[in-house]
Amino acid sequence: GATAAEAEAEAEAEGSSAETLMALLDDPADRDLLARSLENMRELCGTARECGISLLLDAEQSHRQPAIDYIARELMHEFNQGGAPQPTIYQTFQMYMRDANYRLERDLRYAKAKGFMFACKVVRGAYMEAEAERVAELSRMAA
């Protein structure tokens, strides 16, 4: 059986993905977009697995990160199962983001609890400048 820590990680990842994400997506069009994105990515992952290649999922904007995290976990759970010679899908963690360590550890615990291969790319933060520009723009709009 799962340890208490594994069960907690599973509940934490599931709660931070589907429930939190749906709470953020109050617009039905956004929810539809998320569902279509997940279906499109499933098709891509299936083709990638058939071809023996891996896909690296990356988000360039922090405001899209909850959706990317959700999609990555769903796809890793489905496609990175034991017995495969290599992972089909990798998640990218932008380590300049304040919550990057937390998200990385959460997703690693979740993969362990669910029994799938966790695969990721850790980067220093190629998008820091774009994120700073977004914050400045949002600040101007709020003023």
Coordinates of all heavy atoms in Angstrom, one line a residue, residues 6-39:
E6 N 3.0 9.3 0.5 CA 2.6 9.1 -0.9 C 1.1 9.4 -1.1 O 0.7 10.0 -2.1 CB 2.9 7.7 -1.3 CG 4.3 7.4 -1.5 CD 4.6 5.9 -1.6 OE1 3.8 5.0 -1.2 OE2 5.7 5.6 -2.2
A7 N 0.3 9.0 -0.1 CA -1.2 9.3 -0.2 C -1.4 10.8 -0.1 O -2.2 11.4 -0.9 CB -1.9 8.6 0.9
E8 N -0.6 11.5 0.7 CA -0.7 13.0 0.8 C -0.3 13.6 -0.5 O -0.9 14.6 -1.0 CB 0.1 13.5 2.0 CG 0.0 14.9 2.2 CD 0.9 15.4 3.4 OE1 1.0 14.6 4.4 OE2 1.5 16.5 3.3
A9 N 0.8 13.2 -1.1 CA 1.3 13.7 -2.3 C 0.3 13.5 -3.4 O 0.0 14.4 -4.3 CB 2.6 13.1 -2.7
E10 N -0.3 12.3 -3.5 CA -1.4 12.1 -4.5 C -2.5 13.0 -4.3 O -3.0 13.6 -5.3 CB -1.8 10.6 -4.4 CG -2.8 10.2 -5.4 CD -3.2 8.7 -5.3 OE1 -2.4 7.9 -4.7 OE2 -4.3 8.4 -5.8
A11 N -3.0 13.2 -3.1 CA -4.2 14.1 -2.9 C -3.8 15.5 -3.2 O -4.6 16.3 -3.8 CB -4.6 14.0 -1.4
E12 N -2.6 15.9 -2.8 CA -2.1 17.3 -3.1 C -2.0 17.6 -4.6 O -2.5 18.6 -5.1 CB -0.7 17.5 -2.5 CG -0.1 18.8 -2.7 CD 1.3 18.8 -2.1 OE1 1.9 17.8 -1.8 OE2 1.8 20.0 -2.0
A13 N -1.4 16.6 -5.4 CA -1.3 16.8 -6.8 C -2.7 16.8 -7.5 O -2.9 17.6 -8.4 CB -0.4 15.8 -7.4
E14 N -3.5 15.9 -7.1 CA -4.8 15.9 -7.7 C -5.6 17.1 -7.4 O -6.3 17.7 -8.2 CB -5.6 14.6 -7.3 CG -5.0 13.4 -8.0 CD -5.7 12.1 -7.5 OE1 -6.5 12.1 -6.6 OE2 -5.5 11.1 -8.2
G15 N -5.6 17.6 -6.1 CA -6.3 18.8 -5.7 C -5.7 20.0 -6.4 O -6.5 20.9 -6.7
S16 N -4.4 20.0 -6.6 CA -3.8 21.2 -7.2 C -3.9 21.2 -8.7 O -3.6 22.2 -9.3 CB -2.3 21.3 -6.8 OG -1.6 20.3 -7.4
S17 N -4.4 20.1 -9.2 CA -4.5 20.1 -10.7 C -5.9 20.3 -11.1 O -6.3 21.4 -11.4 CB -3.9 18.8 -11.3 OG -4.6 17.7 -10.7
A18 N -6.7 19.3 -11.0 CA -8.1 19.4 -11.6 C -9.0 20.4 -10.9 O -9.5 21.3 -11.5 CB -8.7 18.0 -11.5
E19 N -9.1 20.3 -9.5 CA -10.0 21.2 -8.8 C -9.5 22.6 -8.9 O -10.3 23.5 -9.2 CB -10.1 20.7 -7.4 CG -10.8 19.4 -7.2 CD -10.6 18.9 -5.8 OE1 -10.2 19.7 -4.9 OE2 -10.9 17.7 -5.5
T20 N -8.3 22.9 -8.6 CA -7.8 24.3 -8.7 C -7.8 24.8 -10.1 O -8.3 26.0 -10.3 CB -6.3 24.3 -8.1 OG1 -6.3 23.8 -6.8 CG2 -5.8 25.7 -8.1
L21 N -7.5 24.0 -11.0 CA -7.5 24.5 -12.4 C -8.9 24.8 -12.8 O -9.2 25.9 -13.4 CB -6.9 23.4 -13.3 CG -6.6 23.8 -14.7 CD1 -5.7 25.1 -14.8 CD2 -6.0 22.7 -15.5
M22 N -9.9 24.0 -12.5 CA -11.3 24.3 -12.9 C -11.8 25.5 -12.2 O -12.6 26.2 -12.7 CB -12.1 23.0 -12.6 CG -11.9 21.9 -13.6 SD -12.0 22.5 -15.3 CE -11.0 21.3 -16.2
A23 N -11.3 25.7 -10.9 CA -11.8 26.9 -10.2 C -11.2 28.2 -10.9 O -11.9 29.2 -10.9 CB -11.3 26.9 -8.8
L24 N -10.0 28.1 -11.5 CA -9.4 29.2 -12.2 C -10.1 29.4 -13.5 O -10.1 30.5 -14.0 CB -7.9 29.0 -12.4 CG -7.1 29.0 -11.2 CD1 -5.6 28.5 -11.5 CD2 -7.0 30.3 -10.5
L25 N -10.6 28.4 -14.1 CA -11.2 28.4 -15.4 C -12.8 28.6 -15.3 O -13.5 27.6 -15.5 CB -10.9 27.2 -16.3 CG -9.4 27.0 -16.5 CD1 -9.2 25.7 -17.3 CD2 -8.8 28.1 -17.3
D26 N -13.2 29.8 -15.0 CA -14.6 30.0 -14.8 C -15.4 30.1 -16.1 O -16.6 30.0 -16.2 CB -14.9 31.1 -13.9 CG -14.3 32.4 -14.3 OD1 -13.5 32.4 -15.3 OD2 -14.5 33.4 -13.6
D27 N -14.6 30.4 -17.2 CA -15.2 30.6 -18.5 C -15.3 29.2 -19.2 O -14.3 28.5 -19.4 CB -14.3 31.5 -19.3 CG -14.8 31.8 -20.7 OD1 -15.8 31.1 -21.2 OD2 -14.3 32.8 -21.3
P28 N -16.5 28.8 -19.6 CA -16.6 27.5 -20.3 C -15.7 27.4 -21.6 O -15.3 26.3 -21.9 CB -18.1 27.5 -20.7 CG -18.8 28.4 -19.8 CD -17.8 29.5 -19.5
A29 N -15.4 28.5 -22.2 CA -14.5 28.4 -23.4 C -13.1 28.0 -23.0 O -12.4 27.3 -23.7 CB -14.5 29.8 -24.1
D30 N -12.7 28.5 -21.8 CA -11.4 28.1 -21.3 C -11.3 26.6 -20.9 O -10.3 25.9 -21.2 CB -11.0 29.0 -20.1 CG -10.6 30.4 -20.4 OD1 -10.3 30.7 -21.6 OD2 -10.7 31.2 -19.5
R31 N -12.4 26.2 -20.3 CA -12.5 24.7 -20.0 C -12.4 23.9 -21.2 O -11.8 22.8 -21.3 CB -13.7 24.4 -19.1 CG -13.6 25.0 -17.7 CD -14.9 24.7 -17.0 NE -14.8 25.4 -15.7 CZ -15.5 25.0 -14.6 NH1 -16.3 24.0 -14.7 NH2 -15.3 25.6 -13.5
D32 N -13.2 24.3 -22.2 CA -13.2 23.6 -23.5 C -11.8 23.6 -24.1 O -11.4 22.6 -24.7 CB -14.2 24.2 -24.4 CG -14.3 23.5 -25.7 OD1 -14.6 22.2 -25.7 OD2 -14.1 24.1 -26.8
L33 N -11.1 24.7 -24.1 CA -9.8 24.8 -24.6 C -8.8 23.9 -23.9 O -8.0 23.2 -24.6 CB -9.3 26.3 -24.5 CG -7.9 26.5 -25.1 CD1 -7.7 26.2 -26.5 CD2 -7.5 28.0 -24.8
L34 N -8.9 23.8 -22.6 CA -8.1 22.8 -21.8 C -8.4 21.4 -22.3 O -7.4 20.6 -22.5 CB -8.3 23.0 -20.3 CG -7.5 22.0 -19.5 CD1 -6.0 22.2 -19.6 CD2 -8.0 22.2 -18.0
A35 N -9.6 21.0 -22.4 CA -10.0 19.7 -22.8 C -9.5 19.3 -24.2 O -8.9 18.3 -24.4 CB -11.5 19.5 -22.7
R36 N -9.6 20.3 -25.1 CA -9.1 20.1 -26.5 C -7.6 20.0 -26.5 O -7.0 19.2 -27.2 CB -9.6 21.1 -27.4 CG -11.1 21.0 -27.8 CD -11.6 22.0 -28.8 NE -11.7 23.3 -28.2 CZ -11.1 24.4 -28.7 NH1 -10.5 24.4 -29.9 NH2 -11.2 25.6 -28.1
S37 N -7.0 20.8 -25.7 CA -5.5 20.8 -25.6 C -5.0 19.4 -25.1 O -4.1 18.8 -25.7 CB -5.0 21.9 -24.7 OG -5.3 23.1 -25.2
L38 N -5.7 18.9 -24.1 CA -5.3 17.6 -23.5 C -5.5 16.5 -24.6 O -4.6 15.6 -24.8 CB -6.1 17.3 -22.3 CG -5.7 16.1 -21.5 CD1 -4.3 16.0 -21.1 CD2 -6.6 15.9 -20.2
E39 N -6.6 16.5 -25.3 CA -6.9 15.5 -26.3 C -5.9 15.6 -27.5 O -5.4 14.6 -27.9 CB -8.3 15.7 -26.9 CG -9.3 15.1 -26.0 CD -9.0 13.6 -25.5 OE1 -8.8 12.8 -26.4 OE2 -9.0 13.4 -24.3

